[in-house]
Amino acid sequence: MRVSFCQGLLTGAIALNLLILYYVSRAQQQMMEKRREPGKGSSKKAALPVSALGAGAGLAGAGAGVVGAGGAGNGRSPRVTVLVRDFEDFENYVGEVARSFLRQRPELPFLAVADTPPYPPLALPEGARLLALAPSPDQPPQAHRPEFHVQTEYVLLVPDGVELEQGRQLERLIRELEGEGGGPVRVVAAPVLARSAVQCLHLRVSLREWTATYMPAASGSSGSVCTALRGDAVVLIRSEDLFNLSTPLARPLLSSLFIQTSLRGWKVKLLEGPCFPTSRRPLFSSAHNQWKAETRLREATARLMRDFGLKRLVHPDGKDQWFGCTKETPRCFGTVQDDTPEYLYLDRWTPPCCLRALRETTKYVINILESSGVRYWLEGGTLLGAVRHQDIIPWDYDVDLGIYLEDVPNCDYLKNLDSGSLVDANGYVWERAVEGDFYRVQYSEANHLHVDLWPFYPRNGVMTKDTWTEHKQDVEFPEHFLQPLVPMPFAGITAYGPNNHRAFLELKFGEGVIENPQYPNPSKKRLDRSKL
């Protein structure tokens, strides 16, 4: 068979294309092998190309020496990026921190991170860079994302004012973290001298309860392993771990870091040495600047708690710090639909500030009812909470009390509520409910957490009332459950409830209700009992 000129030309072109494809494949394979060589950073995180950062935002310190692996002359990339996050623009020493580290380790990438460009501008030495996290419309998104600016295996988080005396301090931290072998210890820290003493703590974060609880942790001879730190410390963490957190560089930095790492089961190892010195004692030169810094810290902490959905911090000394609703603010959730407050859909329970307000309102109302001679009893789900928990059910959003209708005239706050509402001297709002013939006491004019008072009256030995709801537990019941009323612990006080609690509750809710907790409307949201 004769081969035409065109067929020969086509065959040659195909062969040439195959040859080009072969050499391209070989080149790509060689590049991948080079990336796997030791000293090129984390094997789990491939380096991003310089072009990906946009003009003027190239890799920090790329091509310089490696800490603890031969110095700056071996042509290998550094393993650590030094990062300063917590500093104030009105007074800081970030430039001095950068000079201290770069004097000992000139090959290290040094990054100062701020929410917006500081004013006055930072005076940074050559080799140090500023990263502003706030996006700008004239720049690509990666210009403001810190993970694009850190191309090292580790990140060293350094407080403002800290100095590096010897490069060996960094090698010690790296060896300690490498020695943990990827176990639960994912962070290593060293104390800062001449500042507030750093303390190892145990941190328990319950998102379901909107609460973070700090407790003291025991110290060991060669260092402490815990879940959080309080005080000034230099912290080493793998870059991959840091940037896998949902909010890696939120302020206050260590609070944000340890809330997120504790939720993942990670631990921090606090070493006794090396210690990092600081020439700034104290950090701020005037009482006014100290006050400004403390004010900003409080504001940043409140912002962080709001973003993380935490309403309560319990400090190691047992004192509470609240970030939720108060008498002066609206409650933490809106109008309840289908008996299912919005927080249940987030797999959370009633915010602790709301429970606190409900307890305060309940104690206040009960005290007034008792002093006025109004007979009352814990009703419905409130009674159920008292029997189960001696408290409000953890996911409940109001409190229900039954009262005798004939006793209403005994209470000055109730007998005059036919027209409008009444705000008493303590800021509680007493009103006749618009939904029917019952009464409501709100925590305040701003905060509508409330106690409902349901007036019953006896008829032929049965307690009944004039307003009924669609709740299946809202039914008539024999008066003998109230003869006598019996004391029982509830929300830190002694309240009164029906005698024979079980029979009363099972009449209202059904058999086994005490042992089988469930959300108010299971057709909308069911309780996962395995998480109790």
Side-chain angles (χ1 to χ4, degrees):
M1 181 180 67
R2 298 182 62 183
V3 177
S4 68
F5 173 77
C6 291
Q7 289 174 326
L9 188 62
L10 178 61
T11 302
I14 293 173
L16 181 60
N17 283 334
L18 290 174
L19 187 62
I20 292 173
L21 182 62
Y22 168 75
Y23 280 109
V24 169
S25 176
R26 284 289 303 274
Q28 289 178 337
Q29 184 177 359
Q30 290 173 359
M31 289 178 64
M32 292 297 293
E33 290 174 353
K34 287 181 179 180
R35 284 187 177 184
R36 296 192 190 102
E37 290 178 5
K40 293 293 182 180
S42 174
S43 60
K44 297 180 182 179
K45 181 179 179 182
L48 294 168
V50 176
S51 59
L53 299 177
L59 302 183
V66 57
V67 172
N74 57 17
R76 303 167 85 179
S77 297
R79 300 181 71 188
V80 179
T81 295
V82 181
L83 191 150
V84 179
R85 176 69 173 107
D86 281 331
F87 62 90
E88 303 297 342
D89 54 0
F90 55 83
E91 183 177 2
N92 65 76
Y93 304 93
V94 177
E96 295 182 15
V97 176
R99 280 186 283 274
S100 168
F101 276 80
L102 295 176
R103 186 165 50 246
Q104 296 291 334
R105 291 293 190 181
E107 77 279 5
L108 289 182
F110 188 100
L111 198 60
V113 179
D115 293 320
T116 58
Y119 177 79
L122 296 180
L124 294 176
E126 184 179 356
R129 294 185 302 119
L130 171 69
L131 170 63
L133 298 178
S136 177
D138 63 337
Q139 295 184 359
Q142 60 266 31
H144 307 278
R145 292 171 55 183
E147 62 268 29
F148 283 86
H149 295 256
V150 175
Q151 299 299 309
T152 55
E153 186 177 357
Y154 299 99
V155 177
L156 189 73
L157 305 174
V158 178
D160 190 14
V162 169
E163 300 172 346
L164 180 65
E165 284 187 331
Q166 300 177 2
R168 291 193 299 273
Q169 294 172 290
L170 303 185
E171 281 104 344
R172 167 75 188 282
L173 293 175
I174 291 175
R175 286 197 304 270
E176 288 286 348
L177 190 52
E178 287 181 331
E180 295 298 330
V185 173
R186 308 287 278 269
V187 181
V188 169
V192 172
L193 292 175
R195 289 275 195 89
S196 59
V198 63
Q199 182 183 8
C200 213
L201 301 174
H202 174 65
L203 172 60
R204 176 186 174 271
V205 180
S206 173
L207 295 180
R208 185 180 67 182
E209 297 171 338
W210 312 74
T211 299
T213 303
Y214 291 92
M215 294 175 289
S219 299
S221 58
S222 61
S224 302
V225 174
C226 50
T227 51
L229 300 177
R230 173 160 297 178
D232 288 308
V234 171
V235 170
L236 183 73
I237 184 172
R238 290 181 178 85
S239 303
E240 183 179 20
D241 286 343
L242 178 64
F243 295 118
N244 273 332
L245 301 178
S246 58
T247 312
L249 295 179
R251 295 186 69 185
L253 183 58
L254 292 191
S255 297
S256 167
L257 177 69
F258 293 124
I259 287 172
Q260 295 177 86
T261 56
S262 65
L263 284 168
R264 289 160 173 78
W266 300 356
K267 296 183 182 299
V268 54
K269 185 174 184 180
L270 175 62
L271 307 178
E272 295 180 355
C275 296
F276 285 77
T278 174
S279 61
R280 299 298 167 181
R281 309 180 180 93
L283 183 60
F284 299 100
S285 59
S286 69
H288 178 69
N289 280 357
Q290 180 67 38
W291 171 82
K292 285 177 65 176
E294 291 172 354
T295 300
R296 290 195 178 187
L297 176 61
R298 287 193 297 270
E299 292 171 349
T301 301
R303 207 161 39 241
L304 180 72
M305 296 303 106
R306 182 180 65 248
D307 292 344
F308 283 176
L310 295 174
K311 308 287 188 182
R312 179 188 180 200
L313 289 185
V314 183
H315 293 283
D317 59 4
K319 293 182 179 179
D320 287 329
Q321 185 176 4
W322 296 91
F323 299 95
C325 61
T326 67
K327 266 188 177 292
E328 290 71 38
T329 68
R331 68 183 185 184
C332 296
F333 55 95
T335 302
V336 176
Q337 305 287 339
D338 300 317
D339 300 321
T340 308
E342 58 190 90
Y343 51 78
L344 291 184
Y345 293 107
L346 303 175
D347 290 323
R348 296 193 174 205
W349 289 351
T350 309
C353 49
C354 297
L355 291 174
R356 179 183 63 164
L358 283 173
R359 293 186 191 104
E360 290 179 10
T361 307
T362 302
K363 294 174 187 178
Y364 183 77
V365 170
I366 284 177
N367 181 61
I368 288 178
L369 295 179
E370 289 180 349
S371 63
S372 302
V374 176
R375 290 166 291 175
Y376 74 91
W377 61 94
L378 304 179
E379 253 292 347
T382 302
L383 176 63
L384 189 57
V387 173
R388 280 200 200 128
H389 313 283
Q390 293 77 55
D391 202 350
I392 301 168
I393 292 175
W395 50 83
D396 210 350
Y397 52 89
D398 63 6
V399 168
D400 292 311
L401 301 178
I403 60 173
Y404 270 88
L405 177 62
E406 63 188 86
D407 293 343
V408 167
N410 298 340
C411 179
D412 292 337
Y413 293 124
L414 295 177
K415 67 182 181 182
N416 296 319
L417 285 181
D418 289 335
S419 57
S421 61
L422 181 154
V423 181
D424 68 22
N426 294 292
Y428 293 90
V429 181
W430 298 71
E431 62 183 6
R432 183 180 289 274
V434 297
E435 299 95 326
D437 189 21
F438 64 98
Y439 302 98
R440 176 165 289 161
V441 185
Q442 295 181 158
Y443 188 45
S444 71
E445 291 183 276
N447 192 326
H448 293 172
L449 289 159
H450 58 264
V451 173
D452 285 335
L453 305 175
W454 300 92
F456 284 81
Y457 56 89
R459 185 172 60 192
N460 299 324
V462 174
M463 297 300 292
T464 187
K465 56 188 175 76
D466 294 330
T467 294
W468 299 95
T469 68
E470 297 179 355
H471 300 159
K472 67 177 182 179
Q473 70 268 23
D474 194 18
V475 295
E476 297 177 333
F477 59 90
E479 188 180 12
H480 67 71
F481 283 111
L482 309 181
Q483 297 175 338
L485 293 166
V486 298
M488 58 191 309
F490 177 71
I493 63 172
T494 298
Y496 283 93
N499 59 68
N500 198 345
H501 306 144
R502 178 176 293 276
F504 185 86
L505 287 170
E506 292 190 345
L507 170 67
K508 296 249 178 180
F509 293 96
E511 187 176 353
V513 64
I514 297 174
E515 293 79 15
N516 298 287
Q518 189 50 261
Y519 288 153
N521 191 344
S523 66
K524 295 295 181 180
K525 179 68 176 178
R526 293 191 64 84
L527 171 66
D528 184 355
R529 296 178 187 172
S530 66
K531 296 181 180 179
L532 290 176

